Amino acid sequence: MRLGPHLHRIGNDIVAAYLIVTPEGITIIDAGLPGHWDDLTAELSSIGRSLDDVKGLVLTHGDSDHIGFAERLRREHGVPVYVHAADADRAQGGDKPKTPMGPLRIGPTLGFAAYALRKRGFRTEYLTQVVEVADGDVLALPGSPRVIGLPGHSPGSIAIHVPIAEAVFVGDALTTRHVLTGRAGMQPAPFTDEPALALRSLERLADVDASWVLPGHGTPWQGSPADVAAAVRAAA
């Protein structure tokens, strides 16, 4: 799905990943679920590109519904996978804290589970090799993505600012559609390790110059990152 001249989305409002498309190549942001591999190859084909054009994959964090096809892309095509150092172990199958599930509704929760099953979420491969990044890094990848540390959802949660796409990718630092309740609108994401820290971290979006705020779950949002951060804090 094309959102802009350099910006594409695969997946849907339940689980999404993104492509930054430039003449020099393609950067992927997050890897959804394993079954999103088919969405990826279809999207590339629709724009006349191939997996050979993919130069790197950047993870907003190491949770299983964001690393779906990352190891396959790395193993079969030599594409480096970048993740914050504090989430490198999580992306490679390390322990994850048990977080309260919080509120839920049966319909949306079953819908999330069914979609994950359809997209082969039960077959997630953890990474065997990653490239660690840190807050403030500008990566030598198409679009020159800049890393913004947003700890809270996980220790190594990051936002990724890509000026050429006028976009900031926020992973699960916030959501515009709660996967367990179905509630739409700006709000904190479920399964967050440290909710209070996650809310404080959103202040780092205030100075980001972007017109798209793109979560891993929910509708892409056009608007000021500062306004979005304020809306999430107000909804908490």
Side-chain angles (χ1 to χ4, degrees):
M1 177 183 181
R2 183 180 185 271
L3 300 178
H6 300 284
L7 180 60
H8 291 245
R9 182 175 83 150
I10 59 174
N12 60 14
D13 288 359
I14 299 177
V15 180
Y18 300 90
L19 281 65
I20 303 300
V21 180
T22 76
E24 296 75 32
I26 293 169
T27 299
I28 299 174
I29 309 295
D30 281 335
L33 298 162
H36 285 121
W37 179 267
D38 297 335
D39 302 63
L40 171 63
T41 56
E43 189 71 18
L44 290 171
S45 178
S46 75
I47 59 175
R49 308 295 283 268
S50 74
L51 291 166
D52 291 337
D53 293 304
V54 178
K55 306 305 181 185
L57 189 161
V58 188
L59 300 174
T60 59
H61 61 296
D63 284 350
S64 59
D65 55 347
H66 291 257
I67 68 170
F69 57 75
E71 175 63 10
R72 180 176 180 181
L73 189 63
R74 189 205 64 79
R75 183 182 65 248
E76 295 183 4
H77 297 273
V79 174
V81 179
Y82 299 79
V83 64
H84 191 282
D87 261 32
D89 182 64
R90 184 178 293 206
Q92 294 176 92
D95 291 337
K96 176 183 174 181
K98 302 296 183 184
T99 57
M101 184 172 289
L104 62 82
R105 294 175 56 214
I106 295 299
T109 300
L110 290 178
F112 176 62
Y115 184 75
L117 185 65
R118 190 161 70 250
K119 290 296 184 181
R120 304 195 295 277
F122 59 93
R123 296 182 61 185
T124 296
E125 283 188 89
Y126 289 102
L127 275 297
T128 59
Q129 182 177 334
V130 299
V131 180
E132 295 184 1
V133 301
D135 180 38
D137 287 353
V138 177
L139 308 181
L141 293 172
S144 300
R146 177 172 65 93
V147 175
I148 303 170
L150 295 181
H153 182 78
S154 67
S157 286
I158 60 173
I160 302 153
H161 180 216
V162 181
I164 193 174
E166 300 180 3
V168 60
F169 305 86
V170 296
D172 286 1
L174 60 90
T175 185
T176 60
R177 181 188 184 277
H178 196 293
V179 296
L180 300 182
T181 67
R183 179 186 171 212
M186 292 293 170
Q187 59 198 293
F191 304 115
T192 291
D193 290 2
E194 298 185 66
L197 176 59
L199 288 175
R200 292 196 301 273
S201 291
L202 292 176
E203 296 175 5
R204 303 207 62 207
L205 298 179
D207 297 328
V208 176
D209 184 13
S211 58
W212 284 101
V213 178
L214 301 167
H217 309 279
T219 304
W221 191 274
Q222 285 190 279
S224 160
D227 291 344
V228 167
V232 174
R233 289 195 296 270

